[in-house]
Amino acid sequence: MTATSEPRLKITYATLRNDNEQLHAQYDAGLAVARAELGGTHGLFINGEWRPAPKTFEKRSPIDGSLVGIFASGNKKDVQDAVAAARAASPGWARTAWLERVAIMRRMADLISERQMELAALMAIEVGKNRLEALGDVEESADLIRYYCDQVVANDGFDRPMGNLGDPTVHTRSVLKPHGVWAIISPFNFPMALSGGPSGGALVAGNAVVYKPSSDAPMCGVKLAEIADLAGLPRGVFNMVSGPGATVGQELQENEGIDGMLFTGSYEIGFNHVFKEFSRVFPKPVIVEMGGKNPAIVSARADLEEAAEGVMRSAFGYGGQKCSACSRVYVQAPVYDAFLEALIAKTQAIAVGDPTDKKNWLGPLVNAKAKAKYEAAIAEVTRDGRIVTGGKLLEGQGTDLYVAPTVVADLPADHHIWRDELFVPLVAVAKVDSLDEAFERANDTIYGLTAGFFSDDHEEVERFKEVSQAGVIYINRRAGATTGAWPGIQPFGGWKGSGTTGKASGGLYYVQQFMREQSQTLVD
Ligand code: NAD
């Protein structure tokens, strides 16, 4: 179902403009479709069928508290059934010619794009993203799937001839084969991109999938399952089990029928639970993508307007609730005051309110837990540093989850706010005496996801590229100091405590991770 018959617009995070009236008209039509879908009851998708669950949970919109829907709260038995279905389906899917798998997955990507406006509006209502951020998330999921399809094609299905040391009777091939069944566990903040993307990678590689959406974004999970079904994935190849991390997530971690795990979420759960506990009998592949504490560094030789715009967009886009959000800024002393002034002006100009309304750039926090984190951080900063702007709850909105984007200064260098991911719209700014000090402080964290640098000096830029300990770095990027990667343009993955494999999503080495190599030698 398309929201309008007009041609689709090409959407990325960095290139869309909010003054595009055609886009807004299409979004409004999608919003009407989305609103008509609210309030329903949704089941689990197991073995090609929708199944009701005895236990359910309500999901309400952070925008105005309205009911998004009633969703199935899966239990261990549901996960076991989904794993059994996936195991039964996986040999057939693995045998399916890779070109056919690619065709089905491309259909899935196209179905997502066809419904981009409806899906973006549903996402906005479900998790509070603004129009362009939600559209970007939806299109990113489709483009991630397309990119993995392209990679399989570019590599001839990863079935390649090897050498024979001049002996024509020996024929060896390197073949990448799927593992079998992958679990995909997703966070709330990119509910389409970080569900469709990893699932797409696992599926096009020939695996069956059991997918668990975040309980803050179950509607996106339901929609992805609907689309997988419509795309023609055989029964049991894609299964969706919504429900709590402590039951559904835990069972996925423990179930011996799962051959590989891709988890995206917090360091606390990703590293301390999933990474450490997934393999029990023998080592199994586990890809864990986690949080960030992403720095931007502003040199005395930066374009300060560009730097302030890039930092503002990355610190406050989707309320700082992105793994790539900029939460720390180190500014060289001579330009500190001017930079701070520019950042304050841009922060105070942010329009906060219902994010489905085109005039608003920033919506509510996702839930009460995030609001409690914001309030705790504000109390700490008031005590230990200085709130430069923001630092308060915003009254008169649809719920009590709207907060002011906040810039803080004068925090001691050893304060935990420089190191711990908060995931709220709060950015801390520090004055530094040298770039070396800035680089050192930027790297002084367990995380290593993204980092930004602003300078017009070539040597400084080269130095930043050399020393930065982050998987994704941006230099002089007005569209976002640390955020806004796109498949096939900026591979996206974390180093250190931000990710386990050093291979980035939307990049050249990603889809291979869902396969294992078999060397096949045949002698005549
Ligand atoms: P979260 O860790 O709270 O939850 C992520 C998922 O894990 C959810 O589906 C949750 O239900 C599930 N889960 C909870 N307990 C579990 C358990 N014991 N076993 C298995 N699964 C369990 O994260 P969140 O709040 O949804 O998302 C925000 C976090 O995700 C932030 O830390 C953010 O930086 C990170 N993130 C990282 C990336 C990346 O690419 N590196 C991208 C987006 C978000």
Side-chain angles (χ1 to χ4, degrees):
M1 171 181 14
T2 43
T4 104
S5 54
E6 286 180 54
R8 268 193 286 120
L9 299 164
K10 182 63 204 162
I11 286 164
T12 77
Y13 296 115
T15 56
L16 266 184
R17 291 170 54 103
N18 199 38
D19 59 3
N20 185 326
E21 287 310 318
Q22 183 196 356
L23 174 117
H24 285 302
Q26 292 187 8
Y27 183 93
D28 286 332
L31 195 54
V33 175
R35 289 214 165 107
E37 294 183 75
L38 299 178
T41 300
H42 305 274
L44 308 169
F45 187 68
I46 297 175
N47 203 24
E49 281 164 10
W50 289 94
R51 168 199 284 199
K55 230 176 127 191
T56 57
F57 65 100
E58 271 189 0
K59 166 66 194 175
R60 292 193 169 270
S61 171
I63 297 174
D64 56 7
S66 60
L67 185 66
V68 176
I70 297 169
F71 296 89
S73 183
N75 56 30
K76 284 183 183 288
K77 171 76 169 53
D78 295 317
V79 177
Q80 287 155 7
D81 290 351
V83 173
R87 290 213 76 74
S90 91
W93 182 239
R95 271 196 311 272
T96 303
W98 58 265
L99 269 172
E100 201 179 318
R101 288 202 303 260
V102 163
I104 292 174
M105 294 312 296
R106 286 206 167 122
R107 207 174 307 141
M108 184 163 165
D110 288 346
L111 286 168
I112 292 172
S113 291
E114 277 169 29
R115 293 170 66 170
Q116 60 184 196
M117 296 293 163
E118 168 208 351
L119 295 172
L122 278 173
M123 183 192 297
I125 293 166
E126 182 160 70
V127 299
K129 279 200 181 190
N130 77 18
R131 291 184 167 207
L132 301 191
E133 300 268 11
L135 276 166
D137 189 332
V138 170
E139 266 309 281
E140 186 185 0
S141 69
D143 269 8
L144 283 167
I145 296 171
R146 291 187 185 107
Y147 188 78
Y148 303 143
C149 290
D150 293 347
Q151 287 299 307
V152 171
V153 173
N155 289 281
D156 281 338
F158 296 102
D159 181 341
R160 293 286 180 80
M162 302 297 290
N164 62 3
L165 289 174
D167 181 349
T169 66
V170 177
H171 312 275
T172 300
R173 299 192 74 81
S174 157
V175 184
L176 289 190
K177 292 183 159 184
H179 289 93
V181 177
W182 276 70
I184 307 289
I185 300 182
S186 301
F188 78 84
N189 65 333
F190 282 86
M192 284 297 293
L194 296 177
S195 300
S199 296
L203 289 165
V204 75
N207 300 280
V209 161
V210 181
Y211 153 63
K212 183 195 121 41
S214 161
S215 297
D216 279 309
M219 188 63 141
C220 288
V222 164
K223 290 291 148 191
L224 194 68
E226 264 178 38
I227 287 169
D229 192 25
L230 279 174
L233 280 166
R235 158 190 286 262
V237 168
F238 183 80
N239 306 274
M240 188 280 297
V241 184
S242 49
T247 50
V248 174
Q250 193 66 29
E251 177 61 26
L252 285 171
Q253 239 186 88
E254 292 173 4
N255 195 299
E256 291 299 333
I258 300 284
D259 300 301
M261 162 73 76
L262 187 143
F263 168 95
T264 314
S266 61
Y267 173 88
E268 168 53 25
I269 293 168
F271 185 58
N272 290 333
H273 294 285
V274 179
F275 184 78
K276 291 181 181 168
E277 293 166 8
F278 178 57
S279 294
R280 286 156 192 254
V281 181
F282 54 80
K284 299 194 284 187
V286 52
I287 304 173
V288 179
E289 307 286 355
M290 297 168 289
K293 188 72 198 178
N294 310 296
I297 296 163
V298 182
S299 151
R301 307 183 65 173
D303 175 332
L304 295 185
E305 196 280 323
E306 180 179 81
E309 178 74 13
V311 167
M312 182 279 287
R313 295 183 69 85
S314 287
F316 303 127
Y318 190 38
Q321 300 173 114
K322 296 184 190 177
C323 48
S324 53
C326 177
S327 51
R328 310 179 276 151
V329 192
Y330 302 105
V331 189
Q332 273 196 292
V335 294
Y336 178 82
D337 290 340
F339 170 79
L340 202 55
E341 201 179 307
L343 180 61
I344 292 167
K346 286 178 187 292
T347 303
Q348 290 176 345
I350 292 173
V352 186
D354 176 346
T356 60
D357 186 330
K358 70 176 175 186
K359 73 174 192 299
N360 292 324
W361 188 72
L362 181 56
L365 288 170
V366 71
N367 58 28
K369 203 170 126 201
K371 180 187 159 203
K373 239 184 189 172
Y374 176 84
E375 287 181 295
I378 296 304
E380 272 193 272
V381 171
T382 307
R383 188 189 62 210
D384 303 334
R386 180 167 63 95
I387 294 190
V388 177
T389 182
K392 56 178 193 293
L393 306 182
L394 298 176
E395 314 279 327
Q397 301 280 356
T399 62
D400 62 359
L401 297 173
Y402 293 78
V403 304
T406 302
V407 180
V408 311
D410 302 344
L411 273 178
D414 61 353
H415 202 281
H416 81 95
I417 283 185
W418 293 113
R419 297 186 310 275
D420 293 343
E421 184 185 52
L422 299 178
F423 234 54
V424 298
L426 185 152
V427 64
V429 186
K431 190 188 291 183
V432 291
D433 291 326
S434 69
L435 282 181
D436 279 343
E437 181 191 345
F439 294 148
E440 202 180 310
R441 288 186 67 179
N443 287 336
D444 184 20
T445 156
I446 59 161
Y447 294 111
L449 191 48
T450 70
F453 185 49
F454 291 90
S455 169
D456 290 336
D457 182 293
H458 175 70
E459 275 177 29
E460 288 180 1
V461 168
E462 288 306 307
R463 175 107 181 99
F464 170 70
K465 289 199 281 187
E466 187 188 321
V467 301
S468 179
Q469 294 172 3
V472 189
I473 63 176
Y474 300 98
I475 295 139
N476 296 333
R477 192 149 173 278
R478 177 189 293 274
T482 62
T483 51
W486 199 257
I489 312 290
Q490 289 99 2
F492 187 85
W495 291 8
K496 293 159 59 180
S498 296
T500 49
T501 68
K503 313 270 195 315
S505 68
L508 292 165
Y509 316 106
Y510 183 82
V511 73
Q512 296 90 320
Q513 299 181 102
F514 296 101
M515 296 177 256
R516 51 190 171 179
E517 187 170 16
Q518 186 170 61
S519 163
Q520 303 175 337
T521 296
L522 169 73
V523 184
D524 288 340

